[in-house]
Amino acid sequence: MSITFSGWEARTDRTHLNSGSKPERGGRYTMYHGTHISIAKNIIKGGFQRSKDGLLGPGIYVSRNIDKAKCYPLNVDKKQRVVLKLKVHVGKVKKIDCDNHPLQKSWSQNGYDTAWVPPHSNIASIKSGREEDCVWDPKRIAVVGIAYCLNDVTKRELLQLIDRQAPGAGSGAQAPHKHNCTVCGKENVTPHPLQACWKCSETICPFQDSHKCRN
């Protein structure tokens, strides 16, 4: 069957809950983290390390808004950026929605696992208006795919590394061997039917969540 695309954006299950909705306590969500291409491999192999500080204090900064993740690291060419696709178990969530919030940097010391800044909050330093999350415990975060990487070779290498790090890898189990699609990043047993977009010629996958044609 032939499918013709020129662009789309999909909304799927509850793990892709809109970034404007507060993450529910105990929920598991798809989130994203932008990092330098040279650091991505270390994160996949060894896990995240808490930042020493930041808007919400120490922690791992992530977002359900992939466009926000694509902006990081700051002042780096986009070819050097990688956006990791994550599954995050948020635990107990504290909403931080204004400057000088009393728990802005001490939420983790007050029994919360994640701090959440909603979109268009009253925090002056977030010029984009996009949501932001900070997770205290790195063990609450699992890297499950690559959401953005302009270097196809590097993207393939990182996806293979994620596959090797998956629970049960190398255990001798006889379950079907799964791969992550090199375009959409989603796990699959049989290869996804990749094709060129008829409008911009970019390689696309029918299972990817969104596609925007190049100008």
Side-chain angles (χ1 to χ4, degrees), residues 64-78:
R64 283 177 287 174
N65 189 319
I66 189 172
D67 290 325
K68 182 175 181 67
K70 284 182 178 180
C71 296
Y72 291 88
L74 297 174
N75 303 317
V76 170
D77 187 276
K78 62 183 180 180

Side-chain angles (χ1 to χ4, degrees), residues 91-121:
K92 188 177 180 182
V93 180
K94 180 60 182 176
K95 179 180 177 181
I96 308 291
D97 59 356
C98 64
D99 283 321
N100 302 314
H101 189 286
L103 295 184
Q104 183 167 336
K105 294 197 175 187
S106 60
W107 49 272
S108 64
Q109 302 165 34
N110 285 270
Y112 294 95
D113 302 299
T114 300
W116 172 62
V117 178
H120 309 294
S121 64

